[in-house]
Amino acid sequence: MMPVLLLLCAVFFGGCTSTRLNVVNAPPVLTQDELLRPYYKVGNIQVRRSRYGSQADLTPADYSWAYDALRAEAQKIGADAVILPEVSVERNTYIFYPVSEMTAKGVAVKFR
């Protein structure tokens, strides 16, 4: 019984880490209506992370992470903006606790 208790404690307390992204000067995420200048595609970007909990437990902070991570990746490749963002969540069930896989995709663009 003790190994099961230790495993549960590791899952609950080990999954509470967070990553801070540096997005102070990162490019914005824009909608098609906000694109007023001509642009060219720099590349497709994708980020993913696993989070503990079900899909119903998603919070606005989870979506903020997705958009901030897209912005950080676009900044790394020198893009001016991210367009067409998509955030999806897939549920992976483990024996004791559900885990969701978050995936965010977008298109990095540079203005002409």
Side-chain angles (χ1 to χ4, degrees):
M1 187 65 164
M2 187 61 126
V4 172
L5 181 61
L6 290 174
L7 180 63
L8 284 175
C9 288
V11 167
F12 284 120
F13 298 115
C16 296
T17 60
S18 64
T19 304
R20 197 82 160 141
L21 298 171
N22 184 15
V23 291
V24 175
N25 295 322
V29 176
L30 301 176
T31 63
Q32 286 294 109
D33 296 339
E34 295 173 317
L35 285 173
L36 303 176
R37 300 185 339 202
Y39 64 90
Y40 62 93
K41 178 180 170 180
V42 176
N44 293 325
I45 51 178
Q46 179 177 348
V47 292
R48 59 180 358 151
R49 103 175 167 177
S50 296
R51 60 175 295 285
Y52 293 104
S54 67
Q55 293 170 330
D57 297 336
L58 286 175
T59 64
D62 292 315
Y63 288 100
S64 291
W65 170 86
Y67 292 124
D68 288 345
L70 285 175
R71 293 175 62 210
E73 288 298 312
Q75 183 178 27
K76 289 179 187 176
I77 60 174
D80 291 330
V82 178
I83 61 171
L84 305 173
E86 297 177 24
V87 178
S88 63
V89 181
E90 293 181 22
R91 181 175 168 222
N92 298 328
T93 305
Y94 286 84
I95 296 172
F96 295 109
Y97 203 70
V99 175
S100 299
E101 182 79 25
M102 288 192 72
T103 303
K105 299 177 185 178
V107 177
V109 298
K110 193 124 176 109
F111 294 120
R112 294 180 193 236

